[in-house]
Each structure stands twice: as structure tokens, then as C-alpha cells.
Amino acid sequence: MQEPVKIASDIQSSVSTGECELLAKAAEGKVVLEIGSDRGRLTIALASFAQRVHSIDDHGGDSPFANTLSEFVANVKRYRVADQVVMHIGPMEKALL
């Protein structure tokens, strides 16, 4: 029996529960590229089904008001998907080169 999608409903996100479920199931067994991970809600859902998730985000860069990196790292660890997530920290344009 397949395990359910991990829905991190306690993490603030613009991605709905339904969207997380749909995208996670579409990612099953695949290597996924996620551009813009914010605090990691969708990352966690994707990693619950995907072989690996490559997540690109600058997490707010130098802005003290928008930096989400520490929350993102804590969340993927707390939901026990850190082994399936490869973090690429920085602007998308540089990470894709």
C-alpha cells in the first residue's frame, strides 16, 4: 500500500493541500526540479513521492525580512525528507547554469 502524501499544513504557503497532493503524485519515482521553495511545504509533499527533489531558491537572499532558508531547512528535517532534497541556494539563473 502506498504511503500518503506528506502535507505540511502547519507551514505557511500559497500552495493548497489539493495542489500538494496532485503534484506529489505526479512526481512519483521521478527526479523533480522545484523553482521557488519558500518554507518547503510543496518540497515536503514532492519528496514524499519523488526519487529526488532539486529545490532552487535564494530564500530572500540578504533581506532580513524575507529570509526563509532556516525555516526551509528545519522543515525538511522535521518532516524527515532531507535525504530526498538537494538544496540549490541562490538565484535561479545561476543555479541552472
Side-chain angles (χ1 to χ4, degrees):
M1 186 172 150
Q2 189 174 34
E3 290 194 31
V5 176
K6 293 180 181 179
I7 302 296
S9 57
D10 62 316
I11 299 173
Q12 181 184 357
S13 177
S14 61
V15 182
S16 72
T17 297
E19 291 167 329
C20 283
E21 290 174 347
L22 181 68
L23 291 167
K25 289 177 182 174
E28 184 174 3
K30 298 176 180 155
V31 176
V32 176
L33 174 62
E34 176 190 37
I35 300 174
S37 55
D38 194 40
R39 291 166 177 84
R41 183 176 189 196
L42 180 58
T43 311
I44 292 163
L46 292 170
S48 72
F49 275 69
Q51 179 184 359
R52 180 143 338 265
V53 177
H54 287 267
S55 178
I56 301 172
D57 199 316
D58 68 359
H59 293 280
D62 295 328
S63 171
F65 303 105
N67 195 315
T68 58
L69 180 58
S70 61
E71 285 181 76
F72 176 78
V73 171
N75 288 333
V76 296
K77 287 181 179 178
R78 183 165 53 97
Y79 278 90
R80 295 184 171 98
V81 295
D83 290 346
Q84 289 98 327
V85 177
V86 179
M87 294 179 252
H88 302 272
I89 311 303
M92 166 187 66
E93 298 83 6
K94 290 184 179 180
L96 293 174
L97 294 178

